[in-house]
Amino acid sequence: MTAAAPAFQPAPGSPILGAVDRLLRDPQGVLRDARDPSEAANLARAALLTIAVGAACFGAAMGTARGGLQIAYAAIKLPAAILLTTAVCSPALSALNAALGRPTSLRTDLFLVLASLARISLVLAMAAPAVLLSVWFEVSYHSLILLVVACCAVAGAVGLSLFLRALPGGDVRHKLTVAASLLCVFGLVGTQMSWTLRPFLQRPRDTQVRFVRGVEGSFLEAVLTSSRSARGIYSRSSAPLPGEVSP
Amino acid sequence: MSSMSSRPGISALIALAGPAAAGAVIGVPLGSRQILVQAATVPAAIVGVTAFMVPALYIASSLAGISPPAQDVGRAVLGGLRSTGLLLLGLSPALLFLLTTTPSELLSLLLIAMALLGAAAVGMRALYGLLFGPSSPRLRSLPVYGGWALVCLGLSAHLLLQHTARPYVRHAFKGHASVTIIPGDAAPVAPARRAS
């Protein structure tokens, strides 16, 4: 069997930067190479670095809406939220594959998740200037929230497409079951993790810059409250400021 | 495919360890005693009920003319429980995070129900595949297995409602005002004593 010619020339320079470049341009090739133990460590380091830097760029862009310390806080918290969610949810992928009798390996499954998240982080890093521009043009708080959500949705779609294409095994129904289940687990844990580490974009009314707020309910409860508020049903006259007791 | 699937000892260990781990996680928000109680309750509800119902499954499928030999039924049940145990082991870290950061007991119960039902569904599906295979007549295997699965789920749900959901509801009432109104009562009652 003749070896296939490489589709592109990887960027010269450090192996880490080369691996990051390949994550962007040849992710399937990266996933194939990750099965080789000698390559796996380098590729995993590249994926982790990409997540840390890419998400930090987007976090910092969100933090410029408030400025000052919030830039640093958001730049630290967003990669932390992604990596902590990965640590908590990755066992579920291997468990799902094993429970469904699909091919599974802890290392390969973890790298698949890291590679997908690295792609997401690269898209977020790409979108960071758009958020920065919106802040400089003094777009309203709620519009900024919608822009951030849209950027995350696009990034998520890119990462999910890699994940689906790279999932091993032939049975399409099983692949879809695994993908849908993992999406559910990641969604629940990721949203709650973000809620726990909030704020990323501070409310204009909130005068104090803090690293995290106290635990107040959960993300799902906040969504229910927001949906009631959107229909004009309020349980209090205004959101409490730091130190205020909720009316 | 993992080599563990061919070793019954390890499969049995996973079948017990998964529900025990999930049970311990479920008990974490309720206190140290409940960690042990739930670590015993959840395996009892899943593994215990399934083991209790295996003779019924064998009899029903034999009467329908679709039953494999008794040893194969045992191996299939172990395989199904192993799948459930694996999934519960994998979901335990995520469940632990969600239960410890969610103040609402109702939401916690919903998350627990999703995790347990999801794991049960995967295990049931695996058991069906191992028992009957693609050549088995579906018109007979599906009703027999479906009826058996429903009874199993009903028994497990009853155990879990009594011993898992109820502590959460008690915990929810304990956390509110000192005078507690139990739904359906005419007058307020004194607050419940702390669970020992």
Side-chain angles (χ1 to χ4, degrees):
Chain A
M1 185 169 22
T2 56
F8 69 95
Q9 291 299 319
S14 80
I16 297 267
L17 283 179
V20 173
D21 190 49
R22 287 190 66 203
L23 269 169
L24 200 50
R25 295 153 67 94
D26 183 26
Q28 296 278 24
V30 168
L31 288 165
R32 271 194 307 272
D33 290 349
R35 290 186 205 128
D36 178 0
S38 60
E39 293 262 7
N42 188 44
L43 291 171
R45 265 193 296 271
L48 284 168
L49 187 68
T50 308
I51 293 168
V53 173
C57 289
F58 193 76
M62 284 197 290
T64 57
R66 171 52 60 98
L69 271 177
Q70 185 61 20
I71 299 173
Y73 287 168
I76 293 168
K77 287 189 297 182
L78 189 58
I82 293 174
L83 291 171
L84 286 170
T85 303
T86 306
V88 168
C89 296
S90 291
L93 174 60
S94 299
L96 264 165
N97 280 329
L100 290 172
R102 289 167 44 76
T104 186
S105 148
L106 275 171
R107 190 177 63 207
T108 313
D109 291 340
L110 178 61
F111 186 75
L112 174 57
V113 172
L114 284 176
S116 306
L117 289 171
R119 292 268 288 181
I120 287 173
S121 300
L122 285 167
V123 174
L124 287 178
M126 177 195 75
V131 174
L132 207 57
L133 198 65
S134 305
V135 170
W136 287 347
F137 274 94
E138 295 180 6
V139 162
S140 75
Y141 170 74
H142 291 288
S143 301
L144 206 52
I145 292 275
L146 289 175
L147 174 65
V148 164
V149 170
C151 293
C152 292
V154 168
V158 169
L160 186 62
S161 76
L162 170 65
F163 183 79
L164 281 173
R165 275 182 288 137
L167 262 183
D171 191 324
V172 175
R173 276 179 315 166
H174 277 175
K175 281 174 84 161
L176 287 174
T177 304
V178 170
S181 306
L182 199 68
L183 203 60
C184 184
V185 175
F186 254 91
L188 284 170
V189 175
T191 49
Q192 184 62 17
M193 187 71 74
S194 309
W195 182 255
T196 306
L197 291 176
R198 78 196 198 288
F200 296 90
L201 265 173
Q202 272 198 285
R203 287 197 292 249
R205 198 164 160 259
D206 197 351
T207 53
Q208 198 184 346
V209 175
R210 286 165 296 161
F211 190 65
V212 286
R213 288 172 65 167
V215 175
E216 299 161 10
S218 65
F219 178 80
L220 290 174
E221 287 172 292
V223 167
L224 286 170
T225 304
S226 290
S227 71
R228 282 199 294 267
S229 301
R231 284 179 280 141
I233 305 164
Y234 298 98
S235 56
R236 55 191 184 188
S237 56
S238 62
L241 285 172
E244 269 182 9
V245 174
S246 186
Chain B
M1 174 87 81
S2 166
S3 61
M4 285 192 291
S5 60
S6 60
R7 291 156 71 178
I10 292 182
S11 295
L13 191 64
I14 294 170
L16 283 170
V25 160
I26 287 167
V28 163
L30 301 174
S32 47
R33 181 175 169 270
Q34 282 294 325
I35 294 175
L36 295 170
V37 168
Q38 298 304 324
T41 302
V42 176
I46 295 175
V47 179
V49 167
T50 306
F52 176 73
M53 290 289 291
V54 165
L57 177 63
Y58 183 69
I59 293 166
S61 54
S62 298
L63 289 174
I66 52 173
S67 174
Q71 294 133 302
D72 291 351
V73 172
R75 268 194 284 269
V77 168
L78 191 58
L81 287 172
R82 176 184 167 271
S83 293
T84 296
L86 270 171
L87 193 52
L88 285 174
L89 270 174
L91 288 175
S92 290
L95 195 59
L96 178 63
F97 170 71
L98 288 170
L99 291 181
T100 49
T101 57
T102 302
S104 163
E105 280 80 8
L106 185 61
L107 214 48
S108 297
L109 281 174
L110 189 62
L111 291 166
I112 291 166
M114 281 170 62
L116 294 178
L117 274 171
V122 166
M124 291 273 183
R125 182 69 186 86
L127 173 54
Y128 180 83
L130 289 166
L131 258 184
F132 299 118
S135 57
S136 188
R138 287 203 162 195
L139 274 177
R140 276 185 274 168
S141 62
L142 274 176
V144 166
Y145 188 75
W148 178 83
L150 275 173
V151 175
C152 261
L153 285 171
L155 288 171
S156 301
H158 176 77
L159 269 176
L160 289 168
L161 277 169
Q162 288 295 313
H163 299 288
T164 299
R166 193 168 273 197
Y168 268 87
V169 172
R170 262 196 247 117
H171 197 256
F173 277 107
K174 207 168 57 173
H176 289 300
S178 57
V179 176
T180 305
I181 305 230
I182 307 292
D185 281 0
V189 298
R193 269 178 279 133
R194 283 188 78 83
S196 54

